[in-house]
Amino acid sequence: MPRPLLSHSPRVNAVSRWTSEGVPIIAAAMGIKTFAFAIGVMAVGTGVAHAAPARPPGPVAPPPAPVLVNVKPPVPVASPATWVMPNDYPSQAMRNGETGTVRFLLHVDASGGVSNCAVTRSSGVAALDAVTCDVVSRRARFHPARDRLGRPVSGTYANAIRWQIPQGNLAPTDRQITGTFVVERDGSVRDCRLVTFQSEDQKTLKGDAAASLRDHTERTFCTAQVNYLPYRDATGAPVSKRVTITQIVKTEALKD
């Protein structure tokens, strides 16, 4: 079954944007107040104009509150590798042999949900662009961005998905992986990711190819963790638990 591969973009691409606009806004407002009180009003008579007596200044309005911007970007609840499944590949694109990488930008609301998805760089294939925002908007969940007071606010997150049609299933090679995830009280799974990954294949791969292999392995591990019966404590009440699994694959040559 074809498996779309999630490219491993640097997390700096996923960070929310913020500025320090609060300080200039306050400074500008205070400057306007000072300038207004410094100017007198001219009285016009039949002779020379004279400056009217300055009125005693009234109470000065407090400066506007500083704008609180997010200082902590949104963070995915689960690995982005779990957002895309093999059967998400558009059938027409698969038949046409169409592949490509779609870069996207998500707007994440204060509750951690995706409020909007925009393609920032097209793959050149309309079907791949459309399915990217569709599946990511439905499956991605985040710990929301936080402002300087620690309150949840909206933010943005950027990443990319590389859609590639595999040429066949590769035979397993020697490897050892350790993955972890949380089983919630309702049996759902979140925060699935690889902790360690060691593979013979890594010795022959470099750069993007090595990152893609890890992403593919993480996606395969995490998509297998769907739903479980919840754990329960001594009283029978459901409880959440973190699970860590180590998988070892070892191949051995057979004697003729």
Side-chain angles (χ1 to χ4, degrees), residues 70-91:
N70 51 319
V71 296
K72 183 179 179 182
V75 178
V77 171
S79 169
T82 63
W83 297 347
V84 183
M85 306 298 177
N87 58 357
D88 291 327
Y89 214 112
S91 56

Side-chain angles (χ1 to χ4, degrees), residues 7 22 25 39 45 49 52 58 61 88 91 95 121 128 149 168 180-181 186 202 204 206 211 219 238 243 245 255:
S7 66
I25 290 173
I39 296 178
D88 291 327
S91 56
R95 287 193 294 270
R121 182 178 298 177
L128 297 182
L149 297 182
T180 183
F181 55 90
D186 62 356
Q202 288 181 306
T204 59
K206 296 181 180 180
R219 182 168 58 253
V243 181
I245 298 176
K255 296 180 180 180

Side-chain angles (χ1 to χ4, degrees), residues 168-187:
N169 293 326
L170 298 176
T173 57
D174 292 359
R175 67 177 61 184
Q176 177 175 324
I177 66 171
T178 299
T180 183
F181 55 90
V182 174
V183 178
E184 294 285 18
R185 287 178 292 181
D186 62 356

Side-chain angles (χ1 to χ4, degrees), residues 21-34:
E21 295 174 354
V23 174
I25 290 173
I26 296 172
M30 293 176 68
I32 291 171
K33 290 291 184 183
T34 302

